[in-house]
Amino acid sequence: MPLLARSVQTPLHIEVRRGAVADLGKILADGRISAGGDVAVVVGPGLGEQIVDLIRPSLNSAEVFVTSGGTLDAALDLAAKLRSGHYDAVVGIGGGKTVDTAKYAASRWGLPMVSVATSLANDGIASPVASLVNDGIKGSYGVHIPFGVIVDLDFVESGPERVNRAGIGDVVSNISALADWELGRQIRGETVDGLAASLSRMGAEAVLAMPGDMTDDAFVTTLADALISSGLAMAVAGTSIPCSGGCHEIMHATDALFPGTASHGELAGMGALFCTFLRGDERRLKQMSDCLARHQLPRTPSDVGLKVEQFVQVVEFAPRTRPDRYTILEHLALTPEQIRQKLAEYDDVLAKI
């Protein structure tokens, strides 16, 4: 992925609470976000009508766009519609696909964008990255960081539990990504941004240590804060490296070779655990494994339906998804036979934890 435009800009407004969507009008009253009140609201096909009814009293003049989201074509189509109108801000309300589509479309014309997350599937809610599918392959595109980030716990709570749990895997993967960043510093002399690394690590450590689950507001709030911190880490670093290493190479390779296998966060968490095993970090391996198991997230390729030979293909292909990265996968450069052997050892170790 190309470097993002480095920016220390942070969202003007960050809010994680119940009932936040209904108060959207008050947030947009900030003249730095919407100078004239001409707002384009982007929603997905799922909760779209319900959300529009909820926000309509506070955003009478807003124009609503429904997008299937998730693809570059959908984002470009939305961008064309935004250009043909007169808007001074864009609000993306929904899951990751809807928010990423809105982020990309808004960035095309330099419009401030507010991200309103109704699920916690990954760190895209506050990141300067849009993950979009183009010609069947998911790619990452640099965009402006949202001017505002809102997480409505009411919508998160009513959403699919598996979708929200996936965000835990994405946050936990930061631990592995940071280890890869440090490896790049040691081997290739890469510069590690201390502030970006701290923001990334802070959220991951909080989720690893936090008791409770997705039924507990305190835990959900911690997870939301961690996902937002990950987005800020990427914005500060000007790259997704603080939150994306070998773990995400495995995720992107799985998406490319075996699409539909599992979600972004589920694959990132599993990939992070495998990469941590490859590093020989037993303490982190147990800590991360316990967290993923506690939240019923996949830890092994078989947990997501991948056979041994399929995962061998994934790990062998993974470095090609991010040619600019130096991770434990590039460092070890395992042969197919070595990957099979490591996977067998990995399964044995996890069975004993």
Side-chain angles (χ1 to χ4, degrees), residues 84-160:
S84 65
H86 300 281
Y87 310 103
D88 51 28
V90 178
V91 179
I93 306 177
K97 291 181 179 180
T98 301
V99 169
D100 279 358
T101 300
K103 280 196 297 186
Y104 184 91
S107 292
R108 290 278 289 185
W109 310 120
L111 295 173
M113 183 269 182
V114 175
S115 169
V116 182
T118 58
S119 70
L120 298 175
N122 57 62
D123 57 21
I125 60 177
S127 75
V129 179
S131 295
L132 300 168
V133 176
N134 184 29
D135 292 333
I137 299 176
K138 182 176 287 187
S140 297
Y141 301 87
V143 296
H144 295 305
I145 191 170
F147 274 51
V149 181
I150 301 163
V151 179
D152 193 317
L153 298 183
D154 289 323
F155 282 99
V156 171
E157 184 181 78
S158 64

Side-chain angles (χ1 to χ4, degrees), residues 123-198:
D123 57 21
I125 60 177
S127 75
V129 179
S131 295
L132 300 168
V133 176
N134 184 29
D135 292 333
I137 299 176
K138 182 176 287 187
S140 297
Y141 301 87
V143 296
H144 295 305
I145 191 170
F147 274 51
V149 181
I150 301 163
V151 179
D152 193 317
L153 298 183
D154 289 323
F155 282 99
V156 171
E157 184 181 78
S158 64
E161 185 179 350
R162 179 182 174 184
V163 172
N164 290 315
R165 284 203 312 263
I168 300 169
D170 205 21
V171 167
V172 167
S173 75
N174 289 7
I175 299 295
S176 177
L178 290 170
D180 281 332
W181 204 7
E182 174 60 20
L183 180 64
R185 185 192 68 78
Q186 294 175 0
I187 303 300
R188 301 202 308 187
E190 295 179 2
T191 300
V192 173
D193 187 305
L195 176 57
S198 295

